[in-house]
Amino acid sequence: MLSHLNEHLPSTAPLQPAFDVRGLDVKLRQAISGEVRFDDGSRALYATDASNYRQVPIGVVIPRSVDDVLATVALCREFGVPILSRGGGTSLCGQCCNVAVVIDFSKYLNRIQEIDVAGKTAWVEPGVVLDDLRTAAEQHHLTFAPDPSTHSHNTLGGMIGNNSCGVHSVMGGETSENILALDVLTYDGVRMHFGAHDGEGAGLTAAQQARTAQIHTGLAALVDRYGEEIRRRFPEIPRRVSGYNLPPLLPENGFNIARSLVGSEGTCVVVLRAKARLLDSPQARSLLVLGYPDVYAAADHIDEIMKFAPIGLEGIDQKLIEDMKAVHLHPQEVQLLPNGGGWLLVEFGGATIQESEAKARDAMRALATKRDAPSMKLFDDPEQEHLVWKVREAGLGATAHVPDKPITWEGWEDASVPPAQLGDYLRRFRELLGKYQYEGDLYGHFGQGCVHTRIDFDLTTESGIRKYRQFAHEAAMLVASFGGSISGEHGDGQSKAELLPIMFGSTIMQAFRDFKALWDPHGKMNPGKVIDAFRLSDNLRLGAGYRPIEPKTTFMFPDDTGRFSRALLRCVGVGDCRKHDIGTMCPSYMATREERYSTRGRARLLFEALQGNVLRDQWRDESVKEALDLCLSCKGCKSECPVHVDMATLRAEFLSHYYKGKLRPRQAYAFGYIDRWAKLAAGAPRMVNFLLTREPFAAAAKAFTGVASQRTLPTFAHETFDHAFRRRANGTNGRRVLLWADTFNNYWHPETLAAAVFVLERAGCEVHVPAGHLCCGRPLYEFGMLDTAVRYLENVMHALRADIEAGTPLIVLEPACAAVFRDELLNLMPHNEQANRLAKQTQLLSEFLMHDVPDYSPPHVAHKALLHGHCIHKAVLKMDSEIEVLKRTGMDVNVLDSGCCGMAGSFGFDKSKYEVSMRVGERVLLPAVREAAADTLIVADGYSCREQIAQTTGRRALHLAEVMAQGLGREAPYL
């Protein structure tokens, strides 16, 4: 069947000629104020998007102004070089990678130029992030309706390129229906305006007027030639993103040129700015979740539910929920769903919560009378609503890397059919998956008939790739038989372009070619995409030739079949690490807006290093090293990335190879072995402190260790905690617990450990402290000193052997240290029974008190508190217990969404990283601390966090142990 799909057919895309790359590079640097990057690292960084495809670009330009864009296009035309416009790089079909000069609009051309509240419009630059526009519009109770799940980091330019949709397209339609005007630039250098005739296009030169007239004439002729076929072949369904958007050119649709360009994926013009339509934003929203026996039954009821006029209608199946449980993704959120095997998430909007809830209850009453009434749950808690929506938005992360299952891939992820036929389509589609022995979870925008899925294609063998091609063609024929669209949201790019003739036929395909030729007669705008495109099996990022190096590693990567290369495949390019105003991931990207400093960027560079064809130095590659240098090892990506890329671990592994056989910088020995230097300093703390605080000794110490001159070197305690603890009178009798005397609290802040002793003893515990000098080795990971880190952990397990075997709880105050025992240890020694026991017995103070002390009642603390979570605490250990114990004290707790403090161990002390450290801290945390009232307690368990706060605000932050001790009526010193 489908025997014509020969894998060895030549590509239909034209071969690229040789370009004078060096000459273009030089002229671009002379001509523009923006950034010009033709180095191998930058080319590798932009070689792929969120798709299965990889094409190494000629170079990258990051323009600061429209003039930079004009100059870039002019020079590319002079050198005959193709152009690719790029926003957030989250495209799933390969439209954002090409052998071209990539113009990245996201870093600088990201402003909202104007919001016309009365007219309900906004002028935006192409790099504007969707959520930035929505936040600004929401101040006027307006919104931009299309909202893909990447709304926190995708750009309007990318949405215009792909004709994006999202949950609330039910309310406002596709992006094409929400773009009123465009300012564009053609490859031949003509700037044009299309849209409302309100004078916005005035002032065009004669050449611009002539080219604009040519476009008008050409498009009118195209409509005359193909109008009837356009009316016949374009399905009239809510989601139709496939092909060029020709229906808006029909006379009955107003001959709307701006709308016809939406969805052209950068193959026709460069978008310079856009006028967006804004809608009234429902000020209140209510979420009703309906449970059905299976996803097919849920889909059968779409038309019935749409009669109640929801503003969003999403569907998810049981397989998605099962996979979410398997990867431990949002377990609490999953429990919120009503009974069923397939669910519809129905959102209603209104001016007030009473209005939106009334609409939901009307629907519930009507549905309850049905013979096949679904289970129902109406949410009245906004936080719970948010959690349920996270279940839907996490679809990609839940299904990409499921334990004991093959990796799933895009490639057939967003087809749409008439909503009334969705149930029948899903049944037929599941049969097709079974025929090819594929698996895929089903979820998506069911209210508009659009279905998302990732499928376990084999993209690394010739037979697997051939099978993938056959499946895609047969799936396209199935969709066409339902009168549907091959793409309902993500566009065509390369993965769908080959399939367009199945949907449109040869006449419309020629109309597409004519449309493209009118705008781009030389074929230089994102060539090989949408029309006359590469085949769906060309340019695969993996492909039959995928042979990454498989190095012997110190980390064992048990969740990734023990392979470093497999761990790198976790990054699927969704780009959540590029969000810039919420969460922890990725602090260095938030501070710089640099792709190379995002988790995705670093993962892509590591991937390229293992390929070894662009980045040939592999473990010694300087572009990879430079990108990793600004990683704060916060581990935010381990929890916030939907596929759990653990960049801190990947970074440590890379650095261990990078420095193999050569000396590290002085900072590595100064800070990596900080426990050893602290032990020495404890012998004469007053003398050491004198040298650290008096000039010229302090300046010399900073210069030698690479510490920023703006930093104050912390001074050592006059007596360490462990020394004071051993000379005290015997403590209380009770349950035996071990208190971990971590390096930072033991040598610098012993009062914190002493407070913990007081709190634990008041809770009925007999506190013991491990004898001898022990360290978990956390600082070693920052410099790739993994062999030493393993020895440290072996020493710990040997010293604690009796207590580990006895099951004695190990209470750790420093979150970064606790994470070593619960995370790094298991990655280094996954099959070591002692390691697994130690990981299970390690608890933070809050965890122990809340979950391991029966009927524990915390003291009453009549204070307001500002709580900042250490980033590793939030990512690896979670903050639930910390928040619970503080709230149970009666405190008024404000939990900051402060991300990383910016200190991150030695990171913030490093003079080369000080500026980034401060940008990270100043994003949320430090201003919040400065603004807090004098009697507000600042609570932060991380030593680094407390140090950053102290050095930049003058406020002293308290560890939870100190807060609890004070609540019990004991002031420092606690011993």
Side-chain angles (χ1 to χ4, degrees), residues 46 134 189 210 217 292 304 312 336 346 378 383 392 507 532 563 620 668 743 785 841 883 909 964:
Y46 285 83
R134 294 203 303 168
T217 302
Y292 293 88
E304 178 182 62
L336 294 173
V346 193
L378 176 61
E383 180 58 30
R392 163 59 188 88
T507 302
D532 295 326
R563 293 181 296 153
R620 295 293 175 90
T743 294
M785 298 173 165
Q841 290 164 221
I883 295 170
F909 283 97
M964 301 290 283

Side-chain angles (χ1 to χ4, degrees), residues 116 173 325 645 677 718 779 835 893 967:
D116 177 358
K325 291 178 180 177
V645 174
W677 306 126
H718 290 171
V893 184

Side-chain angles (χ1 to χ4, degrees), residues 44-59:
L45 189 64
Y46 285 83
T48 188
D49 47 15
S51 72
N52 297 326
Y53 300 101
R54 172 180 177 270
Q55 290 175 277
V56 181
I58 295 165

Side-chain angles (χ1 to χ4, degrees), residues 47 60 120 218 304 406 520 580 633 686:
V60 179
K120 298 182 181 178
E304 178 182 62
D520 179 32
H580 59 268
S633 297
R686 287 176 173 81

Side-chain angles (χ1 to χ4, degrees), residues 499-513:
L499 308 172
L500 292 178
I502 295 173
M503 176 178 170
F504 288 109
S506 59
T507 302
I508 291 297
M509 293 305 297
Q510 186 56 51
F512 290 161
R513 292 187 185 92

Side-chain angles (χ1 to χ4, degrees), residues 827-871:
N827 202 334
L828 291 165
M829 308 175 194
H831 307 299
N832 184 308
E833 186 56 38
Q834 285 288 83
N836 280 275
R837 288 175 177 172
L838 178 55
K840 291 176 182 176
Q841 290 164 221
T842 298
Q843 299 183 66
L844 295 171
L845 178 63
S846 58
E847 293 174 325
F848 178 73
L849 294 175
M850 289 294 94
H851 306 300
D852 217 0
V853 179
D855 302 319
Y856 178 73
S857 179
H860 180 72
V861 182
H863 274 285
K864 287 187 176 181
L866 206 63
L867 174 62
H868 165 74
H870 186 290
C871 44

Side-chain angles (χ1 to χ4, degrees), residues 159-235:
M159 294 181 68
I160 291 167
N162 290 350
N163 194 10
S164 299
C165 304
V167 173
H168 294 104
S169 295
V170 168
M171 177 175 68
E174 303 164 341
T175 296
S176 66
E177 297 168 74
N178 293 277
I179 295 299
L180 303 176
L182 291 175
D183 281 349
V184 301
L185 178 69
T186 59
Y187 187 81
D188 53 8
V190 179
R191 186 173 179 177
M192 291 178 267
H193 170 88
F194 298 102
H197 299 290
D198 52 9
E200 293 159 348
L204 297 181
T205 66
Q208 290 171 323
Q209 291 175 359
R211 185 73 164 98
T212 302
Q214 180 193 18
I215 292 291
H216 275 271
T217 302
L219 291 176
L222 185 146
V223 170
D224 288 343
R225 190 158 57 250
Y226 299 109
E228 288 307 313
E229 191 71 359
I230 292 171
R231 294 181 181 94
R232 189 172 73 86
R233 295 303 298 251
F234 278 77

Side-chain angles (χ1 to χ4, degrees), residues 481-514:
S481 72
F482 276 88
S485 177
I486 293 168
S487 175
E489 182 158 33
H490 298 147
D492 301 315
Q494 180 174 342
S495 66
K496 309 288 181 55
E498 178 183 329
L499 308 172
L500 292 178
I502 295 173
M503 176 178 170
F504 288 109
S506 59
T507 302
I508 291 297
M509 293 305 297
Q510 186 56 51
F512 290 161
R513 292 187 185 92
D514 293 351

